[in-house]
């Protein structure tokens, strides 16, 4: 697969590429095949900084800030399923970090093979969530995924807001 990038864009790194694939998998759900239109619907739309701001606010359990960042993403026209994919990946990383013993940046970096800065953030944020709470957050992500795909009649921005409120509580 050759990414289509303008000359102003650099090639994505492995972590960014893995995140994009993860979003596409979340979007696909249990569907039979992923089409090019599906990939375009969920990838390459998010500004990394905004996503990091959102995951940081959620990981720090600051619902007001998280809702503000989410509203900005919606206003920018970011696809709700793309945002959901980013959140799903973040919660999976938090759950994996939570399993580290001791729950310290060095151990998270070693076990998850992430950059030291990311390991520090993951260790700090994972410490704010019990393992059972992270499982409930991942369940909330799955429920939101179903809602966004038509399982529940709810506007996409409301489904996303409901998710943010529930995981920050």
């Amino acid at each position: 697969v050759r990414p289509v990038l303008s000359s102003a864009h650099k090639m994505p790194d492995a972590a960014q590429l893995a995140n994009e694939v993860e979003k596409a998998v979340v979007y696909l759900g249990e569907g039979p095949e992923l089409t090019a239109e599906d990939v375009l619907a969920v990838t390459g739309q998010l500004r990394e900084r905004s996503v990091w701001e959102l995951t940081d606010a959620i990981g720090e359990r600051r619902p007001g800030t998280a809702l503000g960042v989410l509203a900005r993403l919606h206003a920018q026209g970011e696809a709700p399923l793309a945002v959901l994919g980013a959140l799903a990946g973040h919660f999976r990383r938090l759950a994996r970090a939570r399993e580290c013993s001791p729950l310290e940046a060095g151990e998270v970096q070693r076990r998850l093979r992430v950059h030291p800065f990311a390991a520090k953030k993951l260790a700090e944020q994972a410490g704010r969530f019990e393992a059972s709470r992270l499982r409930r957050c991942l369940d909330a992500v799955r429920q939101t995924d179903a809602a966004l795909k038509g399982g529940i009649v709810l506007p996409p921005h409301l489904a996303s807001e409901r998710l943010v409120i529930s995981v920050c509580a």
Side-chain angles (χ1 to χ4, degrees):
V1 174
R2 196 182 107 210
V4 179
L5 300 171
S6 72
S7 60
H9 291 86
K10 63 181 182 172
M11 290 296 293
D13 62 22
Q16 183 180 9
L17 184 57
N19 189 46
E20 297 299 316
V21 169
E22 197 169 90
K23 286 189 285 187
V25 169
V26 168
Y27 178 78
L28 178 62
E30 295 183 21
E33 79 177 26
L34 190 65
T35 66
E37 292 79 21
D38 294 333
V39 173
L40 289 173
V42 297
T43 61
Q45 301 295 318
L46 296 174
R47 285 188 17 217
E48 281 187 40
R49 182 169 173 222
S50 292
V51 173
W52 288 339
E53 290 171 355
L54 180 61
T55 59
D56 281 350
I58 289 172
E60 294 164 9
R61 298 180 80 168
R62 295 182 289 128
T65 301
L67 286 170
V69 173
L70 182 63
R72 191 172 51 213
L73 288 169
H74 288 162
Q76 290 173 315
E78 305 299 353
L81 283 169
V83 174
L84 181 65
L87 293 179
H90 186 66
F91 278 112
R92 282 194 288 277
R93 284 185 293 280
L94 286 177
R96 289 179 52 215
R98 189 76 177 106
E99 294 171 354
C100 292
S101 181
L103 181 54
E104 296 173 348
E107 184 65 12
V108 171
Q109 180 185 0
R110 184 183 73 73
R111 297 243 336 249
L112 275 64
R113 296 184 177 149
V114 295
H115 188 276
F117 180 78
K120 181 177 184 275
K121 286 226 177 228
L122 286 169
E124 289 170 358
Q125 292 179 13
R128 293 185 182 99
F129 292 85
E130 294 296 324
S132 61
R133 178 75 181 134
L134 286 170
R135 283 190 296 277
R136 288 193 305 274
C137 289
L138 285 167
D139 284 340
V141 167
R142 281 187 280 281
Q143 291 169 5
T144 303
D145 181 54
L148 290 175
K149 292 177 180 173
I152 300 172
V153 180
L154 191 63
H157 71 281
L158 291 180
S160 299
E161 289 172 4
R162 184 176 71 174
L163 172 65
V164 167
I165 291 167
S166 73
V167 298
C168 286

